[in-house]
Amino acid sequence: MTRAEIIDGKLFAERLRAEIGRQVVRLREEHLVTPGLAVILVGEDPASQVYVRNKAHQARGASMASFEYRLPHNVPQENLLELIARLNADPAVHGILVQLPLPPQVDTDRVINAIRPDKDIDGFHPVNAGALATGGDALVPCTPLGCLMLLKHRLGELAGLRAVVLGRSNIVGKPMASLLLREHCTVTIAHSKTRDLADECRRADILVAAVGRPRMVPGDWIKPGATVIDVGINRIETPDGKGRLVGDVDFDSAVQVAGSITPVPGGVGPMTIACLLLNTLEAACRQLDLPVPSGLMETAWG
Ligand code: NDP
């Protein structure tokens, strides 16, 4: 049996970030502007702290300005909203990200809705979600955007392909389905109430798994030759007690059947942060009425 091609999201993301960095330098030289990313972290959740550190570090690595705000876990909602209002008005900040999840005293929807849509580089604001769904100009959620880039890099033209998206969250499943529809795929969204999940998956030329259940999709759910994008990040126990990360797809069996597949880690994850930087660059250009650099993905890959 042939083994699937492994889609190297880490390498792809590195190249994309380098290209974004070049565009940021160009922007500064030609227009005296430095795109600025503000990241807000509420509480001390260790995983969120790692994510925020990585985001800020990579923003600086791409020559952007990075602003970090750490608030205590019991911060009153009003204080968080005031900070967002301040950042909305700050011309040095072009993108605002509030690390989720938020503690229970904070209404997450209210916080997302408070971010100026043109600074909403996570693409979660209803204005951006609506624009994506209706085919308008939107800041697109970073994880599905990264998945789409990997798919286009691997497959080129996606029109007419049958895509199954496993999961219907607002941050991954739904925007992923909208993006694939925009690329003229025939899209099915599957979820916990879907009746024969295996059967739905077996019809997919493109299978995107975003469920949050370790190794839920076995190789025999995959159509031979299909392209599999594994969004899941699940920590499982290991005998040495260190634990390790696995995806929603059972990699070992899937790799025997698929045409190509993203690994976990090293697949979708690195693309998410690269796309965050891409959205920050795009947001800065739009706010300053400058042309948005196009073709970054193609240039990145050379
Ligand atoms: P959510 O929990 O918000 O959504 C999970 C979705 O999976 C829901 O739509 C749910 O269906 C569906 N689902 C759950 N169990 C089953 C099942 N047994 N069969 C079929 N469908 C099921 O998760 P997210 O979308 O936020 O994240 C999904 C995964 O992606 C997680 O592992 C997360 O860690 C990872 N992730 C990775 C990122 C990255 O950068 N690589 C970024 C974001 C997320 P229903 O709606 O019916 O409940």
Side-chain angles (χ1 to χ4, degrees):
M1 199 133 17
T2 55
R3 272 175 63 90
E5 181 199 325
I6 309 299
I7 303 173
D8 189 344
K10 191 162 173 267
L11 178 62
F12 195 105
E14 264 168 33
R15 294 187 178 189
L16 185 58
R17 286 201 313 270
E19 184 53 29
I20 292 167
R22 278 190 281 277
Q23 294 293 336
V24 169
V25 169
R26 190 188 59 78
L27 210 61
R28 184 155 49 234
E29 285 172 358
E30 292 179 11
H31 301 283
L32 305 175
V33 171
T34 301
L37 168 65
V39 182
I40 303 173
L41 173 64
V42 182
E44 290 85 34
D45 176 61
S48 295
Q49 288 186 343
V50 172
Y51 289 140
V52 164
R53 222 178 8 251
N54 278 345
K55 285 166 185 172
H57 175 72
Q58 294 196 15
R60 286 190 295 272
S63 305
M64 292 184 178
S66 159
F67 311 95
E68 268 178 75
Y69 299 87
R70 290 168 186 266
L71 305 177
H73 71 277
N74 57 353
V75 68
Q77 173 167 291
E78 286 317 307
N79 295 19
L80 179 54
L81 293 174
E82 273 167 31
L83 173 59
I84 291 173
R86 201 148 43 84
L87 297 174
N88 279 343
D90 186 342
V93 172
H94 303 96
I96 302 170
L97 178 150
V98 180
Q99 184 67 42
L100 301 181
L102 290 168
Q105 79 278 10
V106 177
D107 178 345
T108 301
D109 285 343
R110 233 185 119 189
V111 168
I112 290 173
N113 293 356
I115 299 173
R116 234 172 72 175
D118 62 345
K119 293 192 176 186
D120 165 42
I121 36 134
D122 254 338
F124 296 163
H125 192 289
V127 165
N128 284 315
L132 176 62
T134 55
D137 262 347
L139 284 165
V140 176
C142 304
T143 300
L145 183 59
C147 294
L148 183 71
M149 285 188 171
L150 294 178
L151 282 168
K152 289 181 91 163
H153 167 63
R154 171 73 187 101
L155 297 171
E157 180 62 51
L158 306 184
L161 295 178
R162 196 181 284 272
V164 171
V165 180
L166 217 45
R168 56 173 164 179
S169 71
N170 288 338
I171 64 171
V172 189
K174 282 184 201 146
M176 186 75 246
S178 293
L179 285 173
L180 290 165
L181 201 55
R182 202 169 77 177
E183 296 297 323
H184 311 293
C185 291
T186 303
V187 183
T188 300
I189 307 179
H191 46 78
S192 66
K193 304 289 187 292
T194 298
R195 282 198 187 145
D196 202 342
L197 212 52
D199 209 42
E200 294 294 346
C201 291
R202 282 188 198 113
R203 279 200 280 267
D205 303 307
I206 293 170
L207 179 63
V208 180
V211 176
R213 296 194 176 256
R215 299 192 281 220
M216 191 186 95
V217 178
D220 67 358
W221 286 19
I222 293 168
K223 179 177 173 179
T227 304
V228 177
I229 304 290
D230 191 353
V231 180
I233 303 179
N234 311 288
R235 182 162 288 280
I236 58 163
E237 299 296 320
T238 53
D240 62 8
K242 288 183 181 160
R244 74 181 176 100
L245 296 181
V246 298
D248 291 341
V249 176
D250 177 42
F251 186 85
D252 291 345
S253 58
V255 78
Q256 306 297 334
V257 187
S260 50
I261 184 168
T262 57
V264 178
V268 173
M271 288 301 289
T272 297
I273 302 189
C275 287
L276 188 73
L277 304 182
L278 189 60
N279 278 353
T280 306
L281 174 63
E282 180 173 335
C285 291
R286 286 188 196 282
Q287 284 160 41
L288 298 158
D289 229 359
L290 297 170
V292 176
S294 60
L296 258 68
M297 184 181 97
E298 291 75 10
T299 320
W301 209 249

